[in-house]
């Protein structure tokens, strides 16, 4: 599909996750940003991307997204 092609070939990192924040898929650009392969991220928590200091901030952002459907910066 066109969407799959765009996801897989994007030059920027993209990911899909479950409502409870586990990766379903990441593209090659995402994996390269983290010096890994896409397969290494599937099933992992989104929180695995962040250091301990950042996790509280990220959790608040995720809560806002789930509550409102978007983020305003």
């Amino acid at each position: 599909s066109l969407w799959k092609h765009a996801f897989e070939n994007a030059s920027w990192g993209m990911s899909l996750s479950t409502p409870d924040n586990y990766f379903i898929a990441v593209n090659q650009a995402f994996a390269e940003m983290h010096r890994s392969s896409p397969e290494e991220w599937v099933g992992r928590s989104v929180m695995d991307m962040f250091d301990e200091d950042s996790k509280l901030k990220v959790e608040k952002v995720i809560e806002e997204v789930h509550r409102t459907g978007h983020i305003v910066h």
Side-chain angles (χ1 to χ4, degrees):
S1 75
L2 187 56
W3 187 90
K4 181 179 179 182
H5 178 79
F7 179 83
E8 291 175 350
N9 295 287
S11 58
W12 59 90
M14 297 174 68
S15 66
L16 296 172
S17 63
T18 63
D20 57 344
N21 305 312
Y22 286 87
F23 289 109
I24 298 169
V26 304
N27 68 358
Q28 187 63 40
F30 178 100
E32 288 173 5
M33 289 176 7
H34 297 280
R35 297 186 177 151
S36 61
S37 69
E39 297 78 18
E40 291 178 65
W41 287 96
V42 174
R44 287 178 63 182
S45 171
V46 170
M47 301 308 282
D48 289 346
M49 295 188 329
F50 303 99
D51 61 41
E52 292 304 315
D53 293 335
S54 299
K55 286 183 180 181
L56 287 175
K57 294 175 190 172
V58 172
E59 286 174 353
K60 289 179 183 178
V61 170
I62 290 172
E63 287 172 13
E64 181 180 346
V65 169
H66 285 287
R67 189 178 71 254
T68 66
H70 64 280
I71 303 171
V72 177
H73 290 279

